Amino acid sequence: MIMNEAKVKVRYQETDQMGVVYHANYLVWFEIGRTHLIEQLGFNYAQMEEEGVVSPVLDIEAQYKQAIRYGQTATVKTWIDHYDGFRVIYGYEVYSEDGTLSVTGKSTHVCVKKSNFRPISIRKYFPDWHEAYLKAMED
């Protein structure tokens, strides 16, 4: 399985009054990891959007285990957890600077036509992405 690792430097505005990363910011970090994984596979969302397709989130979950604080650098690990040619589930683990597992999560996505938000088959519309996703789950 191919896994991407993205580094995120915790900025002051991402923290709450306790000096820890505000929970919603981890969802942004998931997106950073997902974008880096897609780029690692040789693709990007901009290409998809130029073709009139977007990939909305259908479901997202996060389990918080350990706080990450301002000034630290977090590592976001991202992989394709499940893919069936239509729906993609990405898996995430976020580690603190000392290597402690801080957050785990998953997000579920489909591709839709931007004009009408009707779902499309990745397998049919983006065969290169389809093959790359299948291979990424195997390795």
Side-chain angles (χ1 to χ4, degrees):
M1 165 177 44
I2 292 176
M3 183 177 295
N4 181 271
E5 289 191 20
K7 300 288 186 188
V8 178
K9 178 83 171 159
V10 179
R11 297 170 297 173
Y12 184 76
Q13 70 267 25
E14 293 174 317
T15 63
D16 60 19
Q17 287 184 336
M18 297 175 286
V20 300
V21 174
Y22 177 69
H23 69 277
N25 286 308
Y26 291 104
L27 304 183
V28 174
W29 295 1
F30 287 1
E31 184 175 349
I32 290 169
R34 188 171 62 252
T35 301
H36 285 192
L37 174 64
I38 289 168
E39 289 171 354
Q40 179 181 348
L41 295 175
F43 306 100
N44 66 57
Y45 277 131
Q47 279 178 314
M48 182 184 280
E49 290 180 3
E50 286 172 9
E51 296 187 38
V53 176
V54 293
S55 182
V57 175
L58 295 180
D59 185 51
I60 196 158
E61 60 185 61
Q63 295 80 41
Y64 304 98
K65 301 178 181 307
Q66 182 74 31
I68 297 179
R69 301 186 178 280
Y70 170 66
Q72 292 185 330
T73 298
T75 301
V76 181
K77 294 185 178 184
T78 309
W79 65 93
I80 299 168
D81 191 65
H82 175 79
Y83 171 69
D84 62 12
F86 180 73
R87 185 179 321 261
V88 183
I89 301 174
Y90 298 94
Y92 310 93
E93 292 178 343
V94 181
Y95 291 85
S96 65
E97 203 165 74
D98 68 1
T100 302
L101 179 60
S102 297
V103 178
T104 62
K106 291 183 180 184
S107 64
T108 304
H109 304 254
V110 294
C111 288
V112 300
K113 286 284 194 182
K114 194 173 184 179
S115 61
N116 59 16
F117 246 66
R118 291 201 176 165
I120 64 166
S121 165
I122 298 169
R123 181 182 305 141
K124 178 180 174 186
Y125 283 86
F126 299 104
D128 292 346
W129 284 46
H130 171 73
E131 291 301 323
Y133 276 32
L134 291 176
K135 184 169 176 19
M137 290 190 326
E138 291 174 359
D139 292 345

